[in-house]
Amino acid sequence: MIQDHLLTLMPPSIELNTGEDPLDATRNILLDDEWAREVGRQDRMPTVRVWRHAPVRGLVVSKRDVAGPKGEAAMATMDRLGWPILVRPTGGTAVPHGPGVLNFSLLFPRTKDKVTTDAYYQLLCQPMLDWFTSMGLVATTGAVPGSYCDGNYNVLVDGKKVVGTAQAWRGGLAGTKSRHPGYVLAHACIVVDVDMMEATDVINRFYEEVGDPYRVDASTSTSLADALNKVQPGQTYSAATAQKDFVTFLERYYRSAGIAVHVRS
């Protein structure tokens, strides 16, 4: 469960939203920033979003990864290879996306509380840890050298990465009186059913194209479907099923913590 010191960061009322564009992958990514700006202006309730990419596979990268002529050339090459590049507003390195990936975003207003990025990462990761545990999986957070988009707040199952996380803070304190009302966008990319050997090869090819020595190792990661299959042999698990399961879990989870939850799609 969410620890008491983190509960103070949770708004008393949230929107739990599964809204997504079924055709436009770029639009799906940009919705996080668009809705978060509305949250900062108080035009939208603080939002927890559980969403899937449009059914096209590719890589999501930061703006830094594709800066300059080499980045533009690499994007064209990856597009020809059938792995188009999409750019996200948060930092970090490349992550796979597509129909086998589920995304989890916290879109919250900036507050006066003295708070660290670590606290928001914990607020993001704890529900996933508890969800995985409820499935009979052994889940933790931590860095895994050699994994894609590595960081201290990867979510791991049996020591292998299943979830990558990223975070962005924008503007100042939220509210209608602020000239640039701010928000916190904390995001998780849950690999539900992806061939990580292939995805790793593609990530490495991308960084080769941009002239970056960064490389990842496929043995450091797994998918949620593969992890579940070890505890429930013969189990199949799709991102669509995971989305339904996780939304049901989150609705109970947040309400049990005393938070009002409004489910929308």
Side-chain angles (χ1 to χ4, degrees):
M1 292 298 295
I2 302 174
Q3 298 176 14
D4 288 344
H5 74 284
L6 294 176
L7 272 177
T8 61
L9 299 179
M10 283 295 302
S13 183
I14 63 170
E15 178 177 300
L16 179 55
N17 197 308
T18 58
E20 58 195 27
D21 190 313
L23 300 175
D24 190 336
T26 299
R27 173 68 175 156
N28 274 329
I29 293 172
L30 296 179
L31 272 177
D32 265 0
D33 235 2
E34 180 181 316
W35 287 3
R37 287 193 296 271
E38 293 176 4
V39 168
R41 296 194 302 266
Q42 298 182 356
D43 292 335
R44 172 183 288 272
M45 291 178 62
T47 299
V48 174
R49 186 179 176 216
V50 181
W51 55 283
R52 297 167 299 161
H53 287 287
V56 292
R57 69 179 186 176
L59 297 179
V60 180
V61 306
S62 67
K63 293 179 181 179
R64 180 187 65 83
D65 278 337
V66 291
K70 283 191 174 181
E72 293 177 8
M75 291 178 72
T77 298
M78 300 309 294
D79 192 57
R80 288 195 300 270
L81 293 173
W83 283 84
I85 301 298
L86 301 177
V87 181
R88 64 176 180 260
T90 52
T93 52
V95 298
H97 81 84
V101 175
L102 182 66
N103 297 274
F104 174 42
S105 307
L106 303 183
L107 316 175
F108 289 171
R110 290 282 303 273
T111 70
K112 295 179 181 179
D113 299 321
K114 292 182 179 180
V115 63
T116 64
T117 56
D118 281 352
Y120 277 105
Y121 274 125
Q122 292 165 20
L123 197 66
L124 178 72
C125 290
Q126 193 60 54
M128 292 183 288
L129 291 172
D130 292 338
W131 181 43
F132 290 168
T133 299
S134 74
M135 299 183 205
L137 302 174
V138 179
T140 57
T141 56
V144 184
S147 65
Y148 66 93
C149 200
D150 191 26
N152 292 330
Y153 289 99
N154 301 318
V155 178
L156 319 175
V157 174
D158 293 331
K160 290 194 173 187
K161 180 170 181 171
V162 172
V163 182
T165 60
Q167 191 172 153
W169 293 31
R170 302 282 190 256
L173 297 178
T176 54
K177 294 182 180 180
S178 173
R179 291 183 61 189
H180 301 287
Y183 59 86
V184 176
L185 164 55
H187 175 74
C189 177
I190 306 169
V191 173
V192 178
D193 185 19
V194 174
D195 182 339
M196 290 309 299
M197 289 292 293
E198 181 182 17
T200 297
D201 287 344
V202 171
I203 290 171
N204 289 338
R205 173 64 184 272
F206 167 72
Y207 284 106
E208 181 181 343
E209 292 292 330
V210 296
D212 190 322
Y214 172 78
R215 297 292 184 271
V216 297
D217 178 357
S219 68
T220 60
S221 304
T222 189
S223 68
L224 182 56
D226 284 348
L228 283 172
N229 197 256
K230 290 182 179 180
V231 296
Q232 303 173 39
Q235 170 90 7
T236 59
Y237 206 55
S238 69
T241 301
Q243 183 183 39
K244 293 176 183 177
D245 290 350
F246 194 30
V247 167
T248 299
F249 176 88
L250 288 173
E251 185 177 1
R252 293 196 305 262
Y253 189 81
Y254 288 131
R255 283 180 175 159
S256 70
I259 296 162
V261 180
H262 306 270
V263 181
R264 295 191 174 90
S265 60

